[in-house]
Amino acid sequence: MTFAKLGLIEPLLRALEHLKYTTPTPVQAAAIPAVLAGRDLMAAAQTGTGKTAGFALPLLQRLVMEGEKVASNSVRALVLVPTRELAEQVHANIVEYAEHLPLRTYAVYGGVSINPQMMKLRKGIDLLVATPGRLLDLFRQNAVKFNQLQALVLDEADRMLDLGFAEELRSIYAALPVTRQTLLFSATFSDEIRLMARQMLDDPLSVEVSPRNVAASSVKQWVVPVDKKRKPELFMHLLRKQRWKQVLVFAKTRNGVDALVERLQAQGVNADGIHGDRPQATRQRALDSFKAREIQILVATDVAARGLDIDDLPLVVNFDLPIVAEDYIHRIGRTGRAGNTGEAISLVCADEVNMLSAIEMLTRKTLPRHEEPDFVPEHRVPETDASGQVVKKPKKPKKPKQGSGKGSLGRWTDSGDTPAAAPQVKPVRKVPTFNTGPRKRKP
Ligand code: AMP
C-alpha cells in the first residue's frame, strides 16, 4: 500500500516523501479514503500509530480541493485536542504536511496571551487546532466564527468527551453548523464514550485497527513493588543501577512532581517538571528541552500522558500509578512509538493495588513483578491478575490465648496455627471497571 494509492494529491505526497513516510500505517490506510469520501469516522488506534496524519492529510486535501476562500475570523476545519502541548504538536505536524499547500493553519490554546491569537485569526484560518477553553474564549469575543466550518476533529476523543470538558464541548457544538464532517480519534474508547459518540456522528465508519484498550505491544512493562515512603530512594537506586538515560516520569500530583524534581536536582540529576500550575511558557520550554535531550528526566502529571511524541524515548516510569486506568495506556504510549521498542516501569505500593488491578484488567495483561533486593516492601502488594482480582493473603493469625473468650471458638486445631474454618483468602474482590467519573481538567 502507498499513500498515492489512497488517493492523496501530489503536494501532500511530496511532503510525505520529505518526511520519509513511505507506507501508510493501518489507521491511515483505513481513515484516509473514508475521510476523503466525506464520511464521519470513529477511529480507535493505539498511541503512536500515526493518527494525526490519519485525519490531517485527507482534511487538508479536502480543504484545498474545495478551494473556498476563508473569510475574516472564520475557520473551515477545527481540530480539538485536550492539552496545550498536544495542540502545539498536532499543529507542528500539520504544518509539515501542508508545506506545499496554499492553506493557513494555526493553533490556539490557553496559558498564553490571547491578543496575538485574535490578531492572527483576523485573516481567517483554514485549519485551526485548539484546546476547548481558549477556543470558547475566542468565540465569545467574536474572534472566531464557525459559519464556514465543514469539518470537526476530536483528537483523543475520550478525554475530550469526558466530563471535565463536557460543558465547553456542548457550547462549542451549539455554535457549529449542523452539517459538517465529524471525526473522532482516540486510543481508548469506553462504552459510555462510544454511546455519546454515536449521538454526535452521522452514519460513522468505525475503524478499529488495534484491539480495544490494549497497550502497545512494543513496550516491555513491569512493576517494582515498594513501600510508598521509599519510592524516591528506589527511583534514585534504579536510575543509577540501570543507568537510565532519557526518562519520562509520571507522578500523581503537582506537589509530587515538584518534590521529585527537587530531590533529583539536589542530587545533581538534570531534571525538570511540568504540571498544570506551571506557566505555559515554562511547560513548553521544559518539554522542548526534554525532546532535544538537554534534560535527562522530565517529571510530569498526566498533562503529559496523551499524544506527546518524543523521538526514541526509551523509558517511561510511573512513579505513581494513574487513578484512571486508561491513562496508563496513554502514559506508556509515550515510548515504543513509530516501530521502536520501549520500556515502562511502575513503582507500586500496597495502597495502589486496586489501580494496578484495574490496569491489568483493562489491558488484559498481568504485569510481571520484579522485586528489588533492598527494597522489598514491608507492606506487601497483594497479588493481582488480568481478571481484575485482588487476592489478599491472610494475615498469619495469632494463636489465641488459652481460655480467653475472644477467638477461642474452636476454629483452631490443637497443634496451633493452621486455620481450619477461618477464611484462607479474604474474599476475592472484583475491582470495578476503571474510573470513568469526572476528572480534573488540568492535571
Ligand atoms: P502520531 O500517532 O500521529 O503521534 O504519530 C506517531 C509518530 O509516527 C510521529 O512521529 C509521526 O511523525 C510518525 N508517523 C506517522 N505516520 C507515519 C508513517 N506512515 N510512516 C512513518 N512515520 C509515521
Side-chain angles (χ1 to χ4, degrees), residues 75-363:
V75 170
R76 294 172 66 207
L78 177 63
V79 180
L80 289 178
V81 295
T83 65
R84 300 157 184 184
E85 285 81 2
L86 199 52
E88 271 294 334
Q89 181 182 298
V90 166
H91 183 243
N93 285 344
I94 288 172
V95 167
E96 289 179 327
Y97 304 147
E99 197 191 343
H100 308 294
L101 299 177
L103 294 174
R104 266 202 294 271
T105 65
Y106 189 47
V108 294
Y109 44 82
V112 294
S113 169
I114 198 166
N115 289 334
Q117 298 180 347
M118 294 173 95
M119 299 277 286
K120 184 88 182 188
L121 285 164
R122 269 193 208 151
K123 281 189 176 165
I125 296 293
D126 292 289
L127 191 157
L128 181 70
V129 183
T131 53
R134 176 54 59 97
L135 182 71
L136 259 191
D137 275 358
L138 288 160
F139 175 68
R140 289 181 176 142
Q141 298 188 48
N142 291 322
V144 62
K145 295 184 215 153
F146 298 123
N147 38 356
Q148 266 190 306
L149 190 106
Q150 61 186 67
L152 168 70
V153 180
L154 301 182
D155 191 14
E156 303 292 354
D158 49 353
R159 178 165 267 195
M160 299 299 305
L161 291 187
D162 208 333
L163 287 178
F165 286 109
E167 212 174 300
E168 281 105 330
L169 285 180
R170 249 196 307 276
S171 307
I172 293 170
Y173 294 152
L176 300 182
V178 180
T179 313
R180 53 155 209 266
Q181 186 176 20
T182 306
L183 316 175
L184 258 85
F185 280 79
S186 184
T188 51
F189 281 87
S190 67
D191 290 338
E192 298 98 303
I193 301 294
R194 280 171 193 272
L195 190 69
M196 283 174 76
R198 260 176 238 129
Q199 292 165 354
M200 276 184 53
L201 303 173
D202 178 24
D203 183 26
L205 178 74
S206 184
V207 176
E208 201 152 344
V209 293
S210 54
R212 278 172 65 181
N213 297 335
V214 172
S217 55
S218 52
V219 182
K220 185 177 155 208
Q221 304 161 57
W222 46 283
V223 161
V224 189
V226 61
D227 282 329
K228 191 175 187 170
K229 60 179 186 306
R230 297 197 69 199
K231 280 190 181 186
E233 206 186 324
L234 172 64
F235 184 91
M236 282 307 301
H237 168 80
L238 291 173
L239 172 69
R240 302 245 149 90
K241 181 177 150 192
Q242 302 194 350
R243 296 168 199 269
W244 287 345
K245 293 194 181 77
Q246 202 193 14
V247 195
L248 178 61
V249 186
F250 287 99
K252 197 163 52 190
T253 63
R254 299 165 186 198
N255 286 342
V257 169
D258 289 339
L260 185 58
V261 170
E262 258 172 47
R263 188 171 178 132
L264 291 168
Q265 288 176 342
Q267 303 206 26
V269 180
N270 185 4
D272 205 344
I274 55 177
H275 57 63
D277 273 350
R278 300 196 74 189
Q280 184 54 29
T282 318
R283 271 163 67 171
Q284 193 64 47
R285 208 166 32 244
L287 182 62
D288 290 344
S289 307
F290 186 63
K291 284 185 175 182
R293 295 190 172 77
E294 291 155 13
I295 287 174
Q296 183 192 0
I297 296 186
L298 185 68
V299 189
T301 56
D302 279 307
V303 80
R306 298 203 170 211
L308 294 187
D309 186 29
I310 300 154
D311 266 355
D312 299 332
L313 177 69
L315 175 62
V316 167
V317 172
N318 290 308
F319 189 81
D320 303 305
L321 285 183
I323 295 165
V324 179
E326 282 172 318
D327 283 343
Y328 176 83
I329 298 175
H330 291 290
R331 286 179 176 191
I332 72 164
R334 299 313 98 221
T335 177
R337 292 166 77 77
N340 292 324
T341 54
E343 208 173 347
I345 304 173
S346 301
L347 313 188
V348 178
C349 65
D351 288 358
E352 294 173 305
V353 67
N354 286 346
M355 297 173 205
L356 177 61
S357 175
I359 288 165
E360 290 181 336
M361 191 162 69
L362 180 69
T363 58

Side-chain angles (χ1 to χ4, degrees), residues 3 19-25 28 46-53 89 93 96-97 307-309 311 337-338:
F3 283 104
L19 292 170
K20 303 199 167 52
Y21 289 15
T22 47
T23 316
T25 66
Q28 291 162 1
Q46 291 176 346
T47 54
T49 52
K51 279 184 291 161
T52 314
Q89 181 182 298
N93 285 344
E96 289 179 327
Y97 304 147
L308 294 187
D309 186 29
D311 266 355
R337 292 166 77 77

Side-chain angles (χ1 to χ4, degrees), residues 9 12 32 34-39 56-68 76 101 103 150-151 180-181:
I9 52 176
L12 286 171
I32 290 171
V35 178
L36 284 176
R39 292 280 307 261
L57 293 169
L59 274 188
L60 289 167
Q61 177 155 333
R62 295 201 74 198
L63 290 170
V64 85
M65 297 303 276
E66 281 157 30
E68 192 186 1
R76 294 172 66 207
L101 299 177
L103 294 174
Q150 61 186 67
R180 53 155 209 266
Q181 186 176 20

